[in-house]
Amino acid sequence: MQTTSLYDITPEQIFDLLEGSTDQSREFMVSVNIPRQGKFIGKPFRTPAALMMLCTGGKIDVRVNLSTFTLTRGSVLLYGENSIVEYASVSSDARFCLMIITRKFLENMMVDFMAVIPIFKYIAENTGQQLSVDEKELTILTKYYELFYEISASYSRPVMRDLFASFIRTLGDMYSRRLEDRSPSRSRQEEYFERFVLKVTEYHHRERSVKFYADELHITPKYLSTVIKEISGRSAAAWINEFVINKAKMLLKFSGKSIQEITYELNFSTQSFFGKFFKRHTGISPTDYRKRE
């Protein structure tokens, strides 16, 4: 394999280089306690998927886009699809676990948004992706990696989905504690954000307008949009649409309901309108999505 330049590396190439384990679709890959990898050092590459790196020993300096992170035992580093990454220096005793998570895998896992909000907020507020965990938390995360490694190639997608949901909730709880320790009293904006997400969780199957949620929180749509953007980096409309699309995908995959029935359940006026909305956000029609899945 050509390894002189990893700029255009694919998930499969990372998998092959690290000799990891992958699920049957090769949409999710994990490697455990990888020793120092000289093949990666000093070679910038664009990440083809979201990656989560857990340092279990030694020291690793990583550049992600314009930021540099120093990882030691207990460091967790998240970086998303299309990030430019370079392992600037790696100590001889460095060891790490790596998780490669493709966009399709995340879509199929139907990630619980309430679980990822603390992660999202922590990253946004700290302008970075790094988290340091204590020894107990490191043991827990390492065990998750090891379990993913053991089952990913042999078990069905529902098993992987349930384990991944548990993993995300555990990681989200770790981030939540960091947020609470750093800021015992939430700001008014943070309270609005959390209340907004709770409202979207409750009403997204029938309400998609920003105005509805602003009215529920007794603030103006403009102020709600500003707050959500400042806290999360995403618009209020983007959050609402994400919930609706994930609900639609779950119904298409698991409910057995007709597309017409799903149209009514999600409060779209016509099946055509639902189809256009779904395709605009996913690039595929509801019918084709159901056939593919």
Side-chain angles (χ1 to χ4, degrees), residues 31-185:
S31 290
V32 179
N33 284 328
I34 307 160
R36 183 178 187 271
Q37 284 286 326
K39 300 168 184 174
F40 285 93
I41 301 171
K43 299 174 182 177
F45 63 93
R46 188 189 307 275
T47 56
L51 276 75
M52 178 176 162
M53 187 175 183
L54 173 66
C55 182
T56 56
K59 178 182 176 183
I60 307 169
D61 290 323
V62 186
R63 297 191 184 103
V64 181
N65 298 324
L66 299 177
S67 301
T68 300
F69 302 93
T70 297
L71 310 184
T72 55
R73 181 175 172 82
S75 296
V76 178
L77 183 64
L78 300 173
Y79 41 96
E81 183 180 359
N82 293 321
S83 297
I84 304 300
V85 177
E86 179 184 357
Y87 296 101
S89 65
V90 183
S91 67
S92 60
D93 60 342
R95 298 183 73 84
F96 59 95
C97 302
L98 188 68
M99 190 179 292
I100 304 168
I101 310 165
T102 65
R103 181 186 295 270
K104 188 173 182 180
F105 179 83
L106 286 175
E107 290 175 353
N108 288 325
M109 290 302 102
M110 306 299 180
V111 176
D112 182 355
F113 280 100
M114 294 303 291
V116 301
I117 284 171
I119 302 173
F120 204 92
K121 285 179 64 180
Y122 188 92
I123 291 173
E125 292 179 20
N126 289 273
T127 62
Q129 307 99 323
Q130 186 174 356
L131 171 73
S132 293
V133 299
D134 59 31
E135 284 297 317
K136 181 178 179 181
E137 292 169 327
L138 176 60
T139 299
I140 292 170
L141 292 179
T142 302
K143 286 180 178 178
Y144 267 112
Y145 271 90
E146 291 171 347
L147 189 54
F148 278 124
Y149 184 86
E150 292 296 327
I151 75 168
S152 59
S154 305
Y155 284 78
S156 64
R157 178 162 286 171
V159 174
M160 287 292 291
R161 182 172 60 244
D162 291 345
L163 180 59
F164 190 75
S166 173
F167 171 73
I168 288 296
R169 286 186 175 278
T170 300
L171 191 63
D173 188 61
M174 292 177 184
Y175 276 89
S176 289
R177 289 199 292 272
R178 289 346 183 252
L179 288 169
E180 292 170 0
D181 291 343
R182 197 183 68 255
S183 180
S185 57

